[in-house]
Amino acid sequence: MSHTKYIFVTGGVTSSLGKGIISSSLAKLLQARGFKATIQKLDPYINVDPGTLNPYEHGECYVTDDGAETDLDLGHYERFSNVPTSQANNVTTGRIYQTVIDKERKGDYLGSTVQVIPHITDEIKRSIKILGESGKYDFVITEIGGTVGDIESLPYVETVRQMRWELGEDCAVIHLTLIPYLAAAGELKTKPTQHSVKTLLEQGVQPDIIVCRTEHSLNESIRRKIARFCNVSPSSVIESIDASSIYDVPVLMRNEGLDVEVLNKTNTPIGKEPDLKDWEEFLYKLKNPSKEVNIGLVGKYVELKDAYKSINEAFVHASTRNDCKVNVVLIHSEEVLDENVDEKLKDLDGMLVAPGFGNRGIEGKITAIRYVRENKIPFLGICLGMQCAVIEFARNVLGYKDAHSTEMLEKTKHPVIDIMEEQKKISNLGGTMRLGAYQCKLDKDSRIFDVYGGIKEVNERHRHRYEFNNAYLDECKTAGLIPVGVNTKNNLVEIVELKDHPWFFGVQFHPEYKSTVAQPHPIFVDFVKAALDNKS
Ligand code: GLN
């Protein structure tokens, strides 16, 4: 296509209606029609990025190849589209203001008064257009975080107003709202949607397409009513009914014609039907498993739905490659004790210890790892999970009872996990960990080499400050914990594998960030297979 089209997705009535999934589904459909699409999230909060937010506030922090700590919606974008995102795909109010204030200090505004309009809105516009101007995309889909009417999203909606005016037919606005069902009246209600569109109109934006999240099907008369009150054609009222899986949504949106509406509104030739053959095959496998396995997920945030989002989704992807359903059994690490570990873990076919920060729940993780090591239950430790596996091994196999990570016990006599020299000088917490993609060389005599399909080097994403302490490398190796993946530039151990165990790996990186529907991560695929083998 000669130039990029910009699609904005706003939300009304309530949050959590699934703007990220609608945006991802639209990108998937446009892709399936042969277009190149990317998705961007604009977050209205003042944090520069979500890296400093705890999971109670914001769920998982997702990490891109270029080391950006981002909103978890970027994970959905990648999982649906199989296209990597980058820092440019996630912008926050904090980042916009930081850039504008830096420019002001440098004198870039030549003495003018710096204001929300035009300086902040111009900076938002620049952040949106960076993606379009890269020349890589036919469509840039920009999701505006929050709900219209929020004070903090005003500059973003104002930017949409300006861009619509400037771009004309190269721009369309999708508004996602809720159509609540009043059980007592037995009716779906359109009034909140009418009000939400009015709020958008007060800010100068007329949506082109209204996507209606609903628990019940919208009949023709409701569609016509929404169209009439919100100034859109009935074909632009799109039903988004609750689905049993987020992966159903692209198919539901195709059936509702969301992609066709977007193409019409942006004056783009419709072309061929979207090819969703592989996607539908994936869905079929997802819904028709012939077996199941129980895999424990041990972490301290298990009560939070979104804290381990990418891990849960990676299991979904891997399950379809193994023709099975993975039941993720949530186990709170603080509740695992020597006295109850057998009771808590005995029904598991495999166990994953989650990433994390800080001391809370650490001993439970170590106790759980000892159990699966000794009982030969397949184990995957991710980031802190790998570090705990090393601590457990040092304590119970090497005999260093006080072995620890210096993150938890600074003065430990046996710092088997230690902070990197260059991390010691850092005082700012934001964006300063080892972040993003690093190369890792695999030992070709190891099982992990086969897991990855016989490639010598892999590229995986990191987010941590602490590392395996190479002072203990030889001892670990001799006793059976083998470094099978190493970063050859700085000799950091990235993967450990336990000898004489059916399946026991610790990885310093986060394989879950790179798992997509089209390419489930090989470590997860093999882990689920090992759990199935263990079960039988
Ligand atoms: N807290 C550990 C570190 O910083 C592990 C981090 C993680 O699991 N992402 O090294």
Side-chain angles (χ1 to χ4, degrees), residues 354-358 362 365 382-387 405 407-408 417-419 433-434 462-467 507-510 512-513:
F357 295 83
I362 209 83
K365 290 182 175 175
I382 297 182
C383 206
L384 181 63
M386 161 187 162
Q387 298 175 355
S405 160
E407 179 183 6
M408 320 300 163
I417 303 295
D418 199 5
I419 193 157
M433 285 186 252
R434 175 146 86 107
H462 291 249
R463 182 175 186 247
H464 55 101
R465 272 180 230 288
Y466 294 81
E467 304 282 351
V507 292
Q508 187 56 80
F509 48 79
H510 292 259
E512 71 276 21
Y513 292 149

Short mmCIF file of all heavy atoms in Angstrom, two decimals, residues 354-358 362 365 382-387 405 407-408 417-419 433-434 462-467 507-510 512-513, ligand 1:
data_model
loop_
_atom_site.label_atom_id
_atom_site.label_comp_id
_atom_site.label_asym_id
_atom_site.label_seq_id
_atom_site.Cartn_x
_atom_site.Cartn_y
_atom_site.Cartn_z
N ALA A 354 7.96 -19.78 38.95
CA ALA A 354 7.78 -18.53 38.22
C ALA A 354 8.91 -17.52 38.49
O ALA A 354 9.61 -17.61 39.49
CB ALA A 354 6.46 -17.92 38.64
N PRO A 355 9.01 -16.53 37.62
CA PRO A 355 9.92 -15.41 37.86
C PRO A 355 9.43 -14.58 39.04
O PRO A 355 8.28 -14.72 39.47
CB PRO A 355 9.80 -14.58 36.58
CG PRO A 355 9.04 -15.39 35.60
CD PRO A 355 8.27 -16.40 36.35
N GLY A 356 10.27 -13.71 39.53
CA GLY A 356 9.83 -12.83 40.62
C GLY A 356 10.98 -12.05 41.22
O GLY A 356 12.14 -12.20 40.84
N PHE A 357 10.62 -11.22 42.18
CA PHE A 357 11.59 -10.36 42.84
C PHE A 357 11.36 -10.41 44.34
O PHE A 357 10.21 -10.53 44.79
CB PHE A 357 11.43 -8.90 42.35
CG PHE A 357 11.76 -8.75 40.89
CD1 PHE A 357 10.82 -9.04 39.93
CD2 PHE A 357 13.03 -8.37 40.49
CE1 PHE A 357 11.11 -8.93 38.58
CE2 PHE A 357 13.34 -8.25 39.15
CZ PHE A 357 12.38 -8.54 38.18
N GLY A 358 12.42 -10.33 45.10
CA GLY A 358 12.29 -10.22 46.55
C GLY A 358 12.14 -11.54 47.26
O GLY A 358 11.96 -12.60 46.66
N ILE A 362 10.23 -17.29 48.91
CA ILE A 362 11.41 -17.92 48.29
C ILE A 362 11.67 -19.33 48.85
O ILE A 362 11.99 -20.25 48.09
CB ILE A 362 12.65 -16.99 48.46
CG1 ILE A 362 13.62 -17.21 47.32
CG2 ILE A 362 13.41 -17.17 49.73
CD1 ILE A 362 13.27 -16.47 46.11
N LYS A 365 9.50 -21.95 47.28
CA LYS A 365 9.95 -22.31 45.93
C LYS A 365 11.09 -23.32 46.02
O LYS A 365 11.12 -24.32 45.28
CB LYS A 365 10.42 -21.06 45.17
CG LYS A 365 9.29 -20.13 44.79
CD LYS A 365 9.76 -18.92 44.00
CE LYS A 365 8.55 -18.09 43.56
NZ LYS A 365 8.88 -16.86 42.88
N ILE A 382 11.98 -20.51 35.67
CA ILE A 382 12.18 -19.35 34.80
C ILE A 382 12.71 -18.18 35.64
O ILE A 382 12.10 -17.78 36.62
CB ILE A 382 10.87 -18.93 34.11
CG1 ILE A 382 10.38 -20.06 33.19
CG2 ILE A 382 11.06 -17.65 33.31
CD1 ILE A 382 9.12 -19.73 32.41
N CYS A 383 13.86 -17.67 35.25
CA CYS A 383 14.49 -16.49 35.85
C CYS A 383 14.68 -16.73 37.36
O CYS A 383 15.53 -17.52 37.73
CB CYS A 383 13.70 -15.24 35.52
SG CYS A 383 14.75 -13.78 35.55
N LEU A 384 13.86 -16.11 38.23
CA LEU A 384 14.02 -16.41 39.66
C LEU A 384 13.83 -17.91 39.91
O LEU A 384 14.46 -18.48 40.81
CB LEU A 384 13.00 -15.60 40.48
CG LEU A 384 13.07 -15.80 41.99
CD1 LEU A 384 14.41 -15.33 42.55
CD2 LEU A 384 11.94 -15.07 42.70
N GLY A 385 13.02 -18.56 39.11
CA GLY A 385 12.81 -20.01 39.23
C GLY A 385 14.09 -20.78 38.98
O GLY A 385 14.38 -21.77 39.66
N MET A 386 14.88 -20.33 38.01
CA MET A 386 16.18 -20.97 37.78
C MET A 386 17.12 -20.67 38.95
O MET A 386 17.83 -21.55 39.44
CB MET A 386 16.82 -20.45 36.49
CG MET A 386 18.32 -20.72 36.46
SD MET A 386 19.18 -19.96 35.10
CE MET A 386 20.86 -20.02 35.67
N GLN A 387 17.09 -19.42 39.40
CA GLN A 387 17.99 -19.05 40.50
C GLN A 387 17.68 -19.89 41.74
O GLN A 387 18.59 -20.34 42.44
CB GLN A 387 17.85 -17.54 40.78
CG GLN A 387 18.26 -16.68 39.58
CD GLN A 387 18.04 -15.19 39.77
OE1 GLN A 387 17.48 -14.75 40.77
NE2 GLN A 387 18.48 -14.39 38.81
N SER A 405 20.88 -16.25 47.17
CA SER A 405 21.13 -15.18 46.20
C SER A 405 21.39 -13.92 47.01
O SER A 405 20.73 -13.69 48.03
CB SER A 405 19.88 -15.00 45.34
OG SER A 405 19.89 -13.71 44.74
N GLU A 407 20.43 -11.16 46.35
CA GLU A 407 19.20 -10.36 46.35
C GLU A 407 18.43 -10.56 47.65
O GLU A 407 17.82 -9.64 48.18
CB GLU A 407 18.30 -10.76 45.16
CG GLU A 407 17.00 -9.97 45.10
CD GLU A 407 16.06 -10.40 43.97
OE1 GLU A 407 16.35 -11.40 43.27
OE2 GLU A 407 15.02 -9.75 43.80
N MET A 408 18.48 -11.80 48.18
CA MET A 408 17.69 -12.12 49.36
C MET A 408 18.53 -11.99 50.64
O MET A 408 18.01 -11.65 51.69
CB MET A 408 17.15 -13.56 49.31
CG MET A 408 16.67 -14.02 47.95
SD MET A 408 15.33 -13.00 47.34
CE MET A 408 15.37 -13.43 45.60
N ILE A 417 24.00 -17.13 43.55
CA ILE A 417 23.41 -16.17 42.61
C ILE A 417 23.84 -14.79 43.10
O ILE A 417 23.65 -14.46 44.27
CB ILE A 417 21.86 -16.26 42.60
CG1 ILE A 417 21.37 -17.67 42.26
CG2 ILE A 417 21.25 -15.23 41.65
CD1 ILE A 417 21.69 -18.19 40.86
N ASP A 418 24.44 -14.02 42.20
CA ASP A 418 25.02 -12.76 42.65
C ASP A 418 24.72 -11.65 41.65
O ASP A 418 24.46 -11.91 40.47
CB ASP A 418 26.55 -12.93 42.81
CG ASP A 418 27.14 -11.86 43.70
OD1 ASP A 418 26.39 -11.04 44.27
OD2 ASP A 418 28.38 -11.85 43.83
N ILE A 419 24.82 -10.41 42.15
CA ILE A 419 24.55 -9.28 41.26
C ILE A 419 25.74 -9.06 40.33
O ILE A 419 26.90 -9.29 40.73
CB ILE A 419 24.22 -8.00 42.07
CG1 ILE A 419 23.63 -6.93 41.17
CG2 ILE A 419 25.44 -7.49 42.84
CD1 ILE A 419 22.81 -5.91 41.92
N MET A 433 17.65 -3.01 34.45
CA MET A 433 18.03 -4.43 34.60
C MET A 433 18.72 -4.92 33.32
O MET A 433 18.84 -4.18 32.36
CB MET A 433 16.77 -5.26 34.84
CG MET A 433 16.23 -5.09 36.23
SD MET A 433 14.87 -6.21 36.51
CE MET A 433 13.52 -5.10 36.53
N ARG A 434 19.12 -6.21 33.31
CA ARG A 434 19.53 -6.80 32.03
C ARG A 434 18.23 -7.08 31.30
O ARG A 434 17.46 -7.96 31.68
CB ARG A 434 20.33 -8.08 32.26
CG ARG A 434 20.68 -8.79 30.94
CD ARG A 434 22.03 -9.49 30.96
NE ARG A 434 22.00 -10.82 31.50
CZ ARG A 434 22.12 -11.94 30.78
NH1 ARG A 434 22.27 -11.88 29.46
NH2 ARG A 434 22.12 -13.11 31.37
N HIS A 462 15.43 -11.19 28.36
CA HIS A 462 15.79 -11.18 29.80
C HIS A 462 15.14 -10.02 30.54
O HIS A 462 14.81 -9.00 29.95
CB HIS A 462 17.30 -11.04 29.94
CG HIS A 462 18.06 -12.24 29.48
ND1 HIS A 462 18.74 -13.06 30.34
CD2 HIS A 462 18.24 -12.76 28.25
CE1 HIS A 462 19.31 -14.04 29.65
NE2 HIS A 462 19.03 -13.88 28.38
N ARG A 463 15.06 -10.21 31.87
CA ARG A 463 14.62 -9.10 32.75
C ARG A 463 15.05 -9.43 34.18
O ARG A 463 14.29 -9.99 34.96
CB ARG A 463 13.09 -8.93 32.67
CG ARG A 463 12.60 -7.78 33.52
CD ARG A 463 11.12 -7.54 33.37
NE ARG A 463 10.71 -6.36 34.08
CZ ARG A 463 9.91 -6.35 35.15
NH1 ARG A 463 9.41 -7.49 35.61
NH2 ARG A 463 9.60 -5.23 35.74
N HIS A 464 16.27 -9.13 34.52
CA HIS A 464 16.77 -9.46 35.86
C HIS A 464 18.08 -8.72 36.14
O HIS A 464 18.71 -8.18 35.23
CB HIS A 464 17.01 -10.97 35.98
CG HIS A 464 17.91 -11.50 34.91
ND1 HIS A 464 19.23 -11.77 35.11
CD2 HIS A 464 17.68 -11.76 33.59
CE1 HIS A 464 19.78 -12.19 33.98
NE2 HIS A 464 18.87 -12.19 33.04
N ARG A 465 18.45 -8.70 37.42
CA ARG A 465 19.71 -8.08 37.83
C ARG A 465 20.74 -9.09 38.27
O ARG A 465 21.93 -8.84 38.27
CB ARG A 465 19.47 -7.17 39.04
CG ARG A 465 19.09 -5.79 38.71
CD ARG A 465 18.86 -4.98 39.99
NE ARG A 465 17.58 -4.30 39.87
CZ ARG A 465 17.39 -3.26 39.05
NH1 ARG A 465 18.38 -2.78 38.35
NH2 ARG A 465 16.19 -2.72 38.96
N TYR A 466 20.27 -10.23 38.75
CA TYR A 466 21.17 -11.21 39.38
C TYR A 466 21.47 -12.35 38.41
O TYR A 466 20.68 -12.60 37.47
CB TYR A 466 20.55 -11.74 40.67
CG TYR A 466 20.43 -10.63 41.71
CD1 TYR A 466 19.37 -9.73 41.66
CD2 TYR A 466 21.41 -10.46 42.68
CE1 TYR A 466 19.28 -8.68 42.57
CE2 TYR A 466 21.32 -9.41 43.59
CZ TYR A 466 20.25 -8.53 43.53
OH TYR A 466 20.18 -7.50 44.43
N GLU A 467 22.59 -13.05 38.64
CA GLU A 467 23.07 -14.05 37.69
C GLU A 467 23.65 -15.24 38.44
O GLU A 467 24.06 -15.12 39.61
CB GLU A 467 24.22 -13.46 36.85
CG GLU A 467 23.90 -12.19 36.11
CD GLU A 467 23.09 -12.40 34.84
OE1 GLU A 467 22.92 -13.57 34.44
OE2 GLU A 467 22.63 -11.40 34.28
N VAL A 507 16.07 -21.69 33.29
CA VAL A 507 16.48 -20.72 32.26
C VAL A 507 16.48 -19.31 32.84
O VAL A 507 15.51 -18.90 33.49
CB VAL A 507 15.56 -20.80 31.00
CG1 VAL A 507 15.77 -22.12 30.27
CG2 VAL A 507 14.09 -20.61 31.32
N GLN A 508 17.57 -18.60 32.61
CA GLN A 508 17.69 -17.26 33.17
C GLN A 508 16.81 -16.26 32.40
O GLN A 508 16.46 -15.21 32.91
CB GLN A 508 19.16 -16.84 33.17
CG GLN A 508 19.47 -15.55 33.88
CD GLN A 508 18.99 -15.54 35.32
OE1 GLN A 508 19.62 -16.09 36.21
NE2 GLN A 508 17.85 -14.90 35.58
N PHE A 509 16.44 -16.63 31.19
CA PHE A 509 15.60 -15.75 30.36
C PHE A 509 14.12 -16.13 30.49
O PHE A 509 13.77 -17.04 31.25
CB PHE A 509 16.06 -15.82 28.89
CG PHE A 509 16.24 -17.23 28.39
CD1 PHE A 509 15.15 -17.99 28.01
CD2 PHE A 509 17.51 -17.80 28.31
CE1 PHE A 509 15.30 -19.29 27.55
CE2 PHE A 509 17.67 -19.12 27.85
CZ PHE A 509 16.57 -19.86 27.48
N HIS A 510 13.30 -15.45 29.71
CA HIS A 510 11.84 -15.67 29.77
C HIS A 510 11.35 -16.25 28.44
O HIS A 510 10.95 -15.47 27.55
CB HIS A 510 11.12 -14.35 30.03
CG HIS A 510 11.35 -13.80 31.39
ND1 HIS A 510 10.44 -13.92 32.41
CD2 HIS A 510 12.41 -13.11 31.90
CE1 HIS A 510 10.91 -13.34 33.50
NE2 HIS A 510 12.11 -12.84 33.22
N GLU A 512 8.62 -17.53 27.81
CA GLU A 512 7.18 -17.28 27.62
C GLU A 512 6.91 -16.03 26.78
O GLU A 512 5.88 -15.94 26.12
CB GLU A 512 6.48 -17.18 28.99
CG GLU A 512 6.77 -15.95 29.85
CD GLU A 512 8.04 -16.04 30.69
OE1 GLU A 512 8.93 -16.85 30.35
OE2 GLU A 512 8.17 -15.27 31.66
N TYR A 513 7.83 -15.05 26.81
CA TYR A 513 7.60 -13.82 26.04
C TYR A 513 7.63 -14.08 24.54
O TYR A 513 7.13 -13.27 23.76
CB TYR A 513 8.66 -12.75 26.36
CG TYR A 513 8.60 -12.18 27.76
CD1 TYR A 513 9.76 -11.76 28.39
CD2 TYR A 513 7.39 -12.01 28.43
CE1 TYR A 513 9.73 -11.21 29.67
CE2 TYR A 513 7.36 -11.47 29.70
CZ TYR A 513 8.53 -11.06 30.32
OH TYR A 513 8.51 -10.52 31.57
N1 GLN B 1 14.84 -11.13 41.05
C1 GLN B 1 15.69 -11.83 40.13
C2 GLN B 1 16.72 -10.90 39.49
O1 GLN B 1 16.54 -9.72 39.45
C3 GLN B 1 14.90 -12.55 39.07
C4 GLN B 1 14.06 -11.65 38.20
C5 GLN B 1 13.01 -12.37 37.42
O2 GLN B 1 12.58 -13.47 37.78
N2 GLN B 1 12.51 -11.75 36.36
O3 GLN B 1 17.71 -11.35 39.01
#
